């Protein structure tokens, strides 16, 4: 079991993550946890900023591409759902994880 955790951690350290969260306290807390698993984390404070950073990264030939997007749903300027729809128009392969306090099934 210990070797599986080491392998997973070793693999995750190679991934590039886009983390999108508007709440400062939640963002800081999650970043502390994510830093245990990922070395390359880009932070955005809302969906609009997240989409902008995703597009810029996608257009870059030199930068490592995002492997995972971790996002909240309810944010100012552009919510997580609209951001994800826009990202899916650009890239339908990147993995996306939603972290939210919403418990409504329609989300």
């Amino acid at each position: 079991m210990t070797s599986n955790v080491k392998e997973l951690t070793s693999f995750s350290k190679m991934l590039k993550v886009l983390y999108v969260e508007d709440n400062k306290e939640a963002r800081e807390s999650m970043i502390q946890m994510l830093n245990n698993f990922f070395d390359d984390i880009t932070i955005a404070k809302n969906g609009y900023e997240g989409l902008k950073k995703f597009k810029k990264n996608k257009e870059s030939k030199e930068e490592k591409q995002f492997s995972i997007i971790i996002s909240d749903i309810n944010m100012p300027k552009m919510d997580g759902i609209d951001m994800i729809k826009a990202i899916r128009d650009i890239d339908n392969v990147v993995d996306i994880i939603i972290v939210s306090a919403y418990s409504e099934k329609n989300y």
Side-chain angles (χ1 to χ4, degrees):
M1 175 107 161
T2 304
S3 65
N4 290 340
V5 172
K6 287 180 182 178
E7 287 177 36
L8 178 62
T9 303
S10 177
F11 175 75
S12 68
K13 292 286 186 181
M14 297 184 295
L15 303 177
K16 183 171 182 150
V17 175
L18 173 60
Y19 177 55
V20 188
E21 170 63 64
D22 65 312
N23 181 285
K24 182 180 178 183
E25 291 80 23
R27 189 173 55 244
E28 289 174 354
S29 176
M30 182 67 111
I31 288 298
Q32 285 182 356
M33 192 273 301
L34 291 174
N35 278 327
N36 292 314
F37 300 96
F38 305 102
D39 285 339
D40 195 350
I41 304 170
T42 300
I43 301 165
K45 296 177 183 173
N46 58 62
Y48 177 77
E49 186 179 320
L51 178 59
K52 193 173 167 181
K53 288 183 178 192
F54 183 84
K55 285 180 177 179
K56 182 179 178 185
N57 176 259
K58 197 71 175 169
E59 293 167 358
S60 173
K61 301 293 183 213
E62 285 120 40
E63 269 191 81
K64 180 169 54 170
Q65 298 297 297
F66 290 116
S67 304
I68 302 171
I69 299 169
I70 302 172
S71 179
D72 187 15
I73 291 177
N74 191 18
M75 297 178 286
K77 295 189 182 180
M78 176 184 274
D79 67 29
I81 300 297
D82 289 337
M83 179 193 73
I84 290 167
K85 287 177 183 175
I87 287 172
R88 283 292 182 230
D89 288 339
I90 300 165
D91 183 333
N92 63 358
V93 177
V94 65
D95 292 322
I96 299 173
I97 299 170
I98 299 294
V99 179
S100 182
Y102 275 100
S103 60
E104 294 180 34
K105 291 181 182 180
N106 59 338
Y107 279 118

